[in-house]
Amino acid sequence: MCYRKRGNSNQQTMTTKVIIQDMSSILRRSFTAISSLSRQFSSSFSTRTMSSFGRLIRFRDAAGNSRFGEPKISSLSEFDEAVAKGTLEATVFEGSSPFNVTPTSEAVKVQEVLPLLTVEDVPIVKCVGLNYIKHIQEGGRKPPPYPSIFIKPRASIAGYKEDIPIPKLAQDDQLDYEGELTIVIGKTGKNIPKEKALEHIAGFVVANDVSARKWQRDPAFAGGVPQWCFSKGFDKFAPVGPLLVSPKIVGNAGNLQLQTIVNGEVRQDTNTNDLLFSTEEIVAFISQGTTLEAGTIILTGTPAGVAMGMKEPKWLKNGDVIEVKIEELGSVKNKMVFE
């Protein structure tokens, strides 16, 4: 009897062990499955919350509605051709601003490409002076140890094909152009490390930093120290292009050809690899102790070829048309109209 009892006890013990092992195996498999689903969900969520466009435009659809979307193109030349022919289509993005959009499955025909950034979208315009090596040389200056920063008010924002009104005090033979690669901040940040800078950049646009040199450099008007904010901050003195191009397409935009064309004459023709400070360095420097709000745009400086650097400056006149083109980013083309 005792033996049978011990036998039954052993059998019960073995049965219990088998059950525990089976339960452990089931729990392990369940945990593995849950972990896998969690990783898939996290990955999917991360993808959805990242900037999901390659190129973004604001456009008018057939019903007259202003919408955001990604043009259905594979190259910039295809975009220009489709716009010219009136055949451009775009995948619709829903959102209230260029910095808060999500893709949909809807695709529509683009009736008109609208200015991408408006005064309401941009809290402030920050600018970098003396940031191309050759431009520094043509101005007879030494490279600055850190980026030289100045500010334009957001009222200086203008559309990519708007006329630029030139006030009377800026019409006296010293009106100039500056084609510039421009950073658009998409995520608010402060004290942003260089290696994290691209995470805060929604994309890049082309721009023209219109400048009244007399009020910037002439001691009779600017005083003994050159001043930049007033001389470059008049209304609509910062027209920007219609295409916001993500770092997913152009990286840090450090190897793009920039051209400025005045009445058909090429005045500036330089690659952005001539930049003294890269886009990441600029964002890291400007954000020290200062919050960069989403929508902030940063003009990164202009290359050699401005009128100011010529032996006989070719200042802008009433009716002159200036086009700034940057590889992959498109163009901005505006006429100077003296008020």
Side-chain angles (χ1 to χ4, degrees):
M1 258 180 96
C2 290
Y3 177 78
R4 282 197 300 272
K5 286 181 179 179
R6 285 195 300 271
N8 289 340
S9 176
N10 289 338
Q11 289 175 0
Q12 291 173 0
T13 301
M14 290 296 295
T15 300
T16 301
K17 287 182 177 179
V18 169
I19 291 172
I20 292 173
Q21 289 173 352
D22 288 344
M23 289 179 66
S24 297
S25 177
I26 291 170
L27 287 171
R28 282 195 299 271
R29 289 197 298 270
S30 298
F31 179 77
T32 299
I34 291 170
S35 297
S36 176
L37 287 171
S38 177
R39 286 193 297 271
Q40 291 176 24
F41 176 79
S42 297
S43 175
S44 174
F45 181 78
S46 175
T47 300
R48 289 199 303 271
T49 54
M50 286 172 61
S51 177
S52 52
F53 61 82
R55 301 176 180 91
L56 188 71
I57 60 172
R58 190 195 302 256
F59 67 95
R60 195 181 313 282
D61 64 16
N65 301 309
S66 176
R67 313 184 79 174
F68 294 107
E70 176 150 21
K72 300 182 73 174
I73 57 170
S74 57
S75 67
L76 181 61
S77 61
E78 190 176 337
F79 173 78
D80 293 336
E81 183 179 354
V83 170
K85 291 182 177 179
T87 58
L88 183 66
E89 292 187 348
T91 300
V92 174
F93 277 60
E94 295 291 349
S96 58
S97 81
F99 317 109
N100 181 27
V101 292
T102 55
T104 71
S105 58
E106 182 184 7
V108 299
K109 184 177 179 181
V110 174
Q111 293 297 118
E112 180 186 6
V113 178
L114 300 173
L116 175 69
L117 299 175
T118 66
V119 171
E120 290 73 25
D121 298 317
V122 180
I124 195 169
V125 180
K126 300 205 171 190
C127 310
V128 184
L130 303 175
N131 197 30
Y132 280 81
I133 302 298
K134 293 175 183 176
H135 178 54
I136 295 170
Q137 292 171 345
E138 76 175 351
R141 300 191 178 210
K142 294 181 180 179
Y146 302 99
S148 298
I149 308 301
F150 64 95
I151 293 171
K152 293 166 78 98
R154 66 178 188 166
S156 63
I157 294 295
Y160 69 102
K161 56 182 181 179
E162 269 192 272
D163 290 348
I164 307 303
I166 308 302
K168 290 183 179 180
L169 77 169
Q171 295 174 8
D172 296 335
D173 292 332
Q174 291 199 26
L175 185 66
D176 211 346
Y177 52 85
E178 292 191 1
E180 306 208 12
L181 167 70
T182 301
I183 300 166
V184 181
I185 297 297
K187 184 173 73 172
T188 298
K190 180 179 179 180
N191 298 322
I192 301 167
K194 177 182 172 182
E195 60 273 14
K196 297 286 186 180
L198 288 181
E199 297 177 15
H200 291 262
I201 294 176
F204 302 91
V205 295
V206 57
N208 183 1
D209 178 18
V210 183
S211 305
R213 300 299 189 192
K214 180 175 71 176
W215 292 98
Q216 179 187 354
R217 294 172 60 89
D218 189 335
F221 296 88
V225 178
Q227 68 84 11
W228 295 344
C229 296
F230 179 74
S231 62
K232 294 166 170 280
F234 299 108
D235 288 354
K236 300 188 183 299
F237 264 41
V240 296
L243 270 172
L244 178 62
V245 183
S246 165
K248 291 190 293 187
I249 292 180
V250 294
N252 73 347
N255 189 25
L256 304 176
Q257 198 67 23
L258 182 156
Q259 286 187 323
T260 300
I261 304 163
V262 180
N263 299 327
E265 177 190 1
V266 177
R267 299 276 186 90
Q268 294 179 293
D269 192 359
T270 302
N271 196 288
T272 56
N273 60 18
D274 190 46
L275 281 167
L276 177 60
F277 301 104
S278 70
T279 55
E280 297 101 323
E281 289 171 323
I282 291 168
V283 170
F285 180 78
I286 292 179
S287 69
Q288 293 180 102
T290 303
T291 300
L292 287 184
E293 297 179 80
T296 297
I297 72 170
I298 305 170
L299 279 66
T300 63
T302 199
V306 296
M308 180 183 67
M310 301 175 181
K311 290 184 178 179
E312 297 183 7
K314 297 180 180 180
W315 303 116
L316 299 179
K317 304 292 186 182
N318 184 36
D320 283 352
V321 176
I322 296 86
E323 181 178 16
V324 181
K325 302 194 298 184
I326 299 181
E327 182 182 2
E328 296 291 349
L329 305 187
S331 66
V332 55
K333 189 174 184 178
N334 309 90
K335 182 168 69 173
M336 305 294 109
V337 177
F338 285 16
E339 294 182 325

